[in-house]
Amino acid sequence: MYGLSIILPFIDELNSLTKTINIINKQNKENKEFLIIISSKKTPIKIFKKLKKLKTKKNVKIFYQKEPFVGGAVKKGIKISKKSHIVIMASDLETDPNDLKKMIKLSKKNQKKIVCASRWHIGGKIKNYGLIKKIFNFLFQKLSKFILKTNLSDFTFAYRIYPSKALKENKFYENKHSFALEMIIKPIKKGYKTLNVPATWAARIEGTSQNSILNYFGYFKILFKNII
C-alpha cells in the first residue's frame, strides 16, 4: 500500500512548519505520517512546548535526533519511518509544500523510482540565492551529472520522494548539508532511477540557518568519495 513518511528536520521555524503540514494535509489525501525530528540542544524549550500542540493531529509524531545537524535528523527519520515511501523536505518553506502534490502523482505512477524536485529543470526557480552562489550551484550540478551519467538535474536539493528501501538499505555517514548529495548518489549507484520535477526554492524567512559557506566544500568531498 502506497504511503508516505514525511521527514521534517526542525529547529525553531514553527510557523513555517505549521504551514507546511497544513498545506500537505489539505492538498494530499494519501496515507501519510509527519516525522518531526528536533534537536534537544538547539530547539528552545518555549518552541518545543508550542510544537507539542501539533501532536493533536493524528499523523504528526515528534522525535529527538541522536546524531547532529540536518543529516543526523534525516537519518533518524529514515530509521523510524513506517510507510512505503519516504519524503525528505525542509520545515522552513525552502522546499515549497505546494510542489509535493505533483511529486506524489509522479511517484505513485513510478513507485520504484526516486522523484526529485529540481530547481534546474525547465520550470524550476531559485529565489534570493545570490548570483555567485547560483552560478557555483549550477556548475556543480553539471559536474555531478557528467560524472554520474544520470538524467538528474539537481543533486543538492533535499526535496525528494524515495521508495523506502532505497534509503533503508544504505548506510549514510554525512550529517551536514552535503547529506543531500550522499543520499542520492548511493541509490543511483545501486541502480535506482530518478525523475525530475520542476520546483521552486526560496530562502527561508523564519528561523535560524544552520548552513555556512564552509559546508559547500563538503559536496565535493562526497562527490569524489562516492564515485571511486
Side-chain angles (χ1 to χ4, degrees), residues 184-207:
I184 196 63
I185 287 180
K186 287 187 174 180
I188 286 175
K189 290 177 68 177
K190 286 199 172 183
Y192 284 91
K193 303 300 182 182
T194 61
L195 297 170
N196 295 293
V197 174
T200 298
W201 180 96
R204 64 161 67 211
I205 58 173
E206 181 191 18

Side-chain angles (χ1 to χ4, degrees), residues 21-43:
I21 291 174
N22 288 342
I23 289 173
I24 293 174
N25 271 334
K26 183 177 181 180
Q27 294 184 357
N28 305 283
K29 304 305 180 184
E30 282 72 22
N31 175 27
K32 56 187 174 296
E33 61 179 358
F34 293 94
L35 305 178
I36 303 173
I37 315 298
I38 70 173
S39 168
S40 60
K41 294 181 179 179
K42 294 184 178 180
T43 302

Side-chain angles (χ1 to χ4, degrees), residues 101-167:
K101 185 175 182 179
K102 57 187 176 184
M103 294 171 66
I104 292 173
K105 183 178 181 180
L106 189 59
S107 174
K108 291 178 74 172
K109 292 180 180 178
N110 301 274
Q111 295 190 24
K112 293 184 178 180
K113 296 183 179 181
I114 304 170
V115 175
C116 304
S118 174
R119 300 161 293 183
W120 296 106
H121 201 62
I122 297 173
K125 297 178 182 178
I126 300 179
K127 298 179 180 179
N128 304 321
Y129 197 56
L131 180 60
I132 299 300
K133 288 170 66 176
K134 192 172 182 179
I135 290 172
F136 274 107
N137 189 293
F138 174 78
L139 293 175
F140 186 83
Q141 309 305 337
K142 291 297 185 182
L143 174 64
S144 299
K145 186 172 184 176
F146 173 77
I147 290 175
L148 296 169
K149 294 178 172 49
T150 173
N151 69 333
L152 188 59
S153 56
D154 199 333
F155 294 81
T156 58
F157 192 26
Y159 193 6
R160 304 172 185 136
I161 303 178
Y162 292 81
S164 293
K165 185 180 177 182
L167 293 175

Side-chain angles (χ1 to χ4, degrees), residues 51-66:
L51 179 65
K52 287 197 296 184
K53 293 180 180 179
L54 282 176
K55 288 187 69 175
T56 57
K57 298 178 184 295
K58 63 179 181 179
N59 56 354
V60 174
K61 304 172 184 178
I62 301 173
F63 299 89
Y64 283 106
Q65 65 188 85
K66 293 183 178 180

Side-chain angles (χ1 to χ4, degrees), residues 79-90:
K79 184 177 181 179
I80 61 180
S81 62
K82 303 293 185 182
K83 306 299 183 181
S84 68
H85 287 69
I86 293 173
V87 179
I88 295 179
M89 62 184 302

